[in-house]
Amino acid sequence: MKITVFEKKDKMLKFVIEDIDNSLMNSLRRIATVGVPTMAIEYVDFTKNSSVLYDEIIAHRLGLIPLTTDLKGYKLPSECKCKGKGCAVCQVKFTLNAKGPKIVYSGDLKSKDPKIKPVYDNIPIVKLLEGQELKFNATAVLGLGKEHSKWTTGLMIYYNYPKVVGGKKASELKEPKNAKEIGEFLNKVKKFENLDEIKTEPVMNKFVVEFETWGQLDHKTILLNAISSLSKRLKAVDKALK
Ligand SMILES: [Zn+2]
């Protein structure tokens, strides 16, 4: 298998992957996005809420705030020694205490563990008017995107690598020789294809992959965890078959 990374930013990774079939590519996509644990707020205890939003709506909004995740320090509640009752190894506590007039942001959440905090400080939660108050304790746990989308790691899309097979602009498109040229080549293919100036065919077993994370974990951690999770599952199938 050959992998060529042609774009790498803080939260975006783009690469070409060769010698992989559709089913394995899709397994990798699914496991990387919904099978690697991330932290998200799961329980909220409101002690005061005189804002215009119901407790349930605020709790839902809190759940969707991406939190930086430490996979070495925490366990999934189902795999924890406390058997999911809740302890320092499977839970992180947050508090918030705000008085209006102000807009309450994700950055106002106070975490008991400095390693686990909102990825972005500027996500609005609710607007408080003069005299309105919001006070709660919240609990974040590790979870999987297959249970709830708030635990997804990001969005991964892929499509077959295009092979130019004809059209009046075909001669302008040369097969890229290195990683630097791939991005430009793919942009031109898209543009010329939309204008009906070239014809392409999908290359089987070769894909362009774009992976954007929500920031809880970096690309490397997500992909390494996805691969080890996938091979664990395949070993279990192998064992069962034997
Ligand atoms: Zn526990």
Side-chain angles (χ1 to χ4, degrees), residues 80-82 84 86-87 89-90:
C80 189
K81 274 186 188 165
C82 74
C87 69
V89 181
C90 62

Side-chain angles (χ1 to χ4, degrees), residues 163-191:
K163 185 185 177 195
V164 182
V165 291
K168 63 178 179 184
K169 293 257 176 143
S171 57
E172 282 183 38
L173 285 171
K174 295 231 162 59
E175 193 55 31
K177 285 186 209 76
N178 52 45
K180 261 190 188 168
E181 292 177 9
I182 294 176
E184 203 186 329
F185 170 78
L186 293 171
N187 284 337
K188 274 190 185 166
V189 166
K190 251 179 235 164
K191 192 178 128 195

Side-chain angles (χ1 to χ4, degrees), residues 101-144:
K102 75 169 264 157
I103 296 176
V104 183
Y105 289 99
S106 51
D108 294 316
L109 283 163
K110 293 212 164 46
S111 171
K112 284 269 175 344
D113 179 352
K115 278 189 188 165
I116 313 294
K117 57 181 178 39
V119 174
Y120 304 99
D121 282 342
N122 58 354
I123 302 172
I125 297 168
V126 63
K127 185 176 179 177
L128 298 178
L129 299 178
E130 180 75 48
Q132 294 182 340
E133 279 183 68
L134 180 65
K135 199 175 169 187
F136 60 76
N137 297 309
T139 307
V141 297
L142 284 179
L144 297 171

